[in-house]
Amino acid sequence: MDNPILVTGAGRRVGFHIASRLKQDGYDVLAHYRTETDDVQKLRHLGIQTIQADLQDTSSIMVFIEQLQQLSQSYRGIVHNASAFTPTSEDLNQAAEQYQHFFTVHMLAPFLINQALSATLKGPGDDPADIIHITDINVENPTPRFDIYGTTKAGLHNLTVVSAKKLAPNIKVNSVAPGPVLFTESHSQEVRQKMLAETPLAREGGAEPVYLAIKSLLENPFITGATIPVDGGRRLSKA
């Protein structure tokens, strides 16, 4: 592969859209997925190379890194979209397992991948390469019911800032923090209406605004250590 952008968690929803749109805009893309889906098949039909890995523990992450190093000698950038999202369990043992899992996906995997690939990241011309972390507006104001999710995403936000310092000047490191961009089937109509009522722009954003934020970071050579919220202003109205 020729200097691709790696997108993790590209097997569905926002990750699928990011990988597809990058390809449409002329980038070479390597799309990571955990579980085979119809969207993964669609990515292949678009000419996007895919790679499977379950980022569940250190050993599986290290195997994934070895595969990445074999697939390409250089990378244009990395978009860390892989994520885990469920309410915190009330059972203490389950919560402990949940915390370890969320930490591994949201913090450990991006850290190890960034460390391993940093020497291979190469931007266009004399411009720096890019690492982009997909965090969440919960980083600013976490929801108690999702405290494990929010605190591990906050760790990813901190990784953004420290990595921007550590990897400059050859690599820019930024975050995109989505809000209510895509509802899931688990969201009842009541929950959807409540979320929209708390969102100043009063609409479901969709995946495209997330991609547009990523694209703006890729195309701007002088932004690092920054976070772009893509939430319709919802973070402004949360008490």
Side-chain angles (χ1 to χ4, degrees), residues 143-210:
T143 303
R145 184 165 172 255
F146 293 90
D147 53 356
I148 293 178
Y149 170 80
T151 53
T152 52
K153 281 288 188 176
L156 182 58
H157 169 76
N158 187 273
L159 182 63
T160 301
V161 178
V162 71
S163 298
K165 297 178 181 180
K166 182 177 182 178
L167 300 178
N170 296 322
I171 302 170
K172 298 181 283 134
V173 187
N174 294 289
S175 294
V176 173
V181 293
L182 279 180
F183 291 126
T184 67
E185 294 180 357
S186 66
H187 289 113
S188 67
Q189 193 61 33
E190 181 182 358
V191 168
R192 296 183 187 202
Q193 291 303 318
K194 183 177 184 296
M195 291 176 69
L196 293 178
E198 296 172 347
T199 303
L201 294 186
R203 58 186 292 187
E204 182 182 7
E208 179 66 4
V210 177

Side-chain angles (χ1 to χ4, degrees), residues 84-140:
F85 181 76
T86 53
T88 297
S89 174
E90 294 183 2
D91 179 270
L92 196 59
N93 290 320
Q94 292 180 6
E97 294 178 2
Q98 191 178 15
Y99 216 123
Q100 185 62 52
H101 175 63
F102 281 30
F103 164 79
T104 302
V105 173
H106 295 160
M107 297 170 62
L108 181 61
F111 172 78
L112 293 176
I113 293 168
N114 292 349
Q115 287 285 107
L117 296 188
S118 61
T120 71
L121 286 169
K122 181 180 179 182
D126 294 330
D127 290 339
D130 286 271
I131 293 173
I132 299 174
H133 298 148
I134 307 300
T135 58
D136 195 286
I137 58 169
N138 272 332
V139 166
E140 292 188 28

